[in-house]
Amino acid sequence: MKHIFIINGGHPFAHSGGKFNQTLYQNTISHFQALDGFEVKQTQVGDDYDAAAEVEKFKWADIIIYHTPIWWFQIPFGFKKYIDEVFTEGHQNGIYSSDGRSRSNPEINYGTGGLMHGKQYILTTSWNAPKAAFTLENEFFDQKSVDEGAMFGFHKMNAFTGMTCLATHHFHDMEKNADVPLELEHYNTFLKSIV
């Protein structure tokens, strides 16, 4: 039995209702619940949660699936608060033991104190920015991919805990030109190809 922990990092704020990420989140839950050999737990960041219980979900999971919209080139503030609270609760309790360094040689081994080795994660992001903004010369993101640019710190955060990235899937131009049925079709194909 493979354990899948699905997190929706989106939550309502201002003009963002979080509808696409909620749809994606429910789609992912349904996908794995319909398959034999998978057990699913989930968290909606916009709902109340207990940090200690969330730590237990991370410890239980084989694969963590993060769904997040991107607001001002970062994850939403509620999702950042969730990560700060849950990962801090997981200090010396299954998520990380330390930053990995020793007092005898503090210059080396930073980021090696994670306790979640053997676990993998999947990251999906949804953007107003079109894909070309990341790939074309002289466009906004200087030809840096989502993973090498805006999400670099998010990937390093997960590496700090010992997890490895299984895959990423990014949704572009979702505010002005979204074709949600087509995006879900592509996403379901992506899921079937990796898990």
Side-chain angles (χ1 to χ4, degrees), residues 22-41:
Q22 184 65 30
T23 299
L24 191 60
Y25 171 68
Q26 292 299 334
N27 179 88
T28 306
I29 293 167
S30 297
H31 172 84
F32 285 105
Q33 286 179 338
L35 298 174
D36 290 333
F38 291 92
E39 190 174 341
V40 175
K41 291 187 180 184

Side-chain angles (χ1 to χ4, degrees), residues 16-101:
S16 176
K19 291 180 184 174
F20 176 69
N21 275 273
Q22 184 65 30
T23 299
L24 191 60
Y25 171 68
Q26 292 299 334
N27 179 88
T28 306
I29 293 167
S30 297
H31 172 84
F32 285 105
Q33 286 179 338
L35 298 174
D36 290 333
F38 291 92
E39 190 174 341
V40 175
K41 291 187 180 184
Q42 67 264 355
T43 291
Q44 167 61 58
V45 166
D47 294 342
D48 290 335
Y49 58 85
D50 174 76
E54 295 303 302
V55 169
E56 294 305 312
K57 291 178 186 177
F58 275 94
K59 290 162 65 174
W60 167 86
D62 299 309
I63 298 173
I64 292 92
I65 302 177
Y66 299 106
H67 294 305
T68 185
I70 301 300
W71 296 354
W72 290 107
F73 316 107
Q74 299 175 42
I75 63 174
F77 65 88
F79 189 19
K80 177 65 166 73
K81 180 177 183 279
Y82 171 88
I83 292 291
D84 288 348
E85 291 176 347
V86 173
F87 281 31
T88 299
E89 184 71 27
H91 179 225
Q92 297 185 344
N93 180 27
I95 292 183
Y96 74 104
S97 61
S98 69
D99 70 9
R101 299 180 295 162

